[in-house]
Amino acid sequence: STLATALGYAGDVAFRAEVVADALGRGLWRDADQRPSEFDPALASLGGWPEATPSVRACVADLEDAYAARGAAMRAEAVALLARAGKRAAEGLQDPDR
């Protein structure tokens, strides 16, 4: 749900888990990752995400390390590029610190 997503972005992992468990327990959701407006119980599951190749895992690790070291500068550069393109940053859900 939007609430569970927002709680995740806000870093309130314990309360998010409580909300999800409550919804599952009441039968409101059939799956912890569903989005109720998009969930169709008749669709078969594909079984989760495929395993990433070693090169993809290495690339992701490099990006995570770079963001940990220079995240603020990377974000500032992206915002500046968006501004030059005449776009504005989205509502901030992509960045839990905003």
Side-chain angles (χ1 to χ4, degrees), residues 72-97:
M74 292 167 74
R75 187 178 194 322
E77 182 179 350
V79 169
L81 288 169
L82 285 171
R84 279 202 305 252
K87 302 185 184 307
R88 61 182 175 83
E91 70 275 10
L93 290 178
Q94 300 83 353
D95 182 356
D97 294 329

Side-chain angles (χ1 to χ4, degrees), residues 2-96:
T2 304
L3 174 60
T5 301
L7 289 170
Y9 281 127
D12 199 339
V13 178
F15 187 50
R16 180 190 186 281
E18 185 180 324
V19 167
V20 169
D22 183 54
L24 290 170
R26 292 173 186 234
L28 299 173
W29 298 350
R30 296 172 120 193
D31 182 283
D33 294 321
Q34 82 180 58
R35 299 298 178 258
S37 64
E38 301 171 9
F39 187 70
D40 183 348
L43 294 175
S45 171
L46 297 177
W49 295 101
E51 182 66 28
T53 64
S55 61
V56 169
R57 286 195 305 271
C59 180
V60 169
D62 288 346
L63 287 171
E64 288 174 338
D65 291 345
Y67 193 78
R70 298 179 295 283
M74 292 167 74
R75 187 178 194 322
E77 182 179 350
V79 169
L81 288 169
L82 285 171
R84 279 202 305 252
K87 302 185 184 307
R88 61 182 175 83
E91 70 275 10
L93 290 178
Q94 300 83 353
D95 182 356

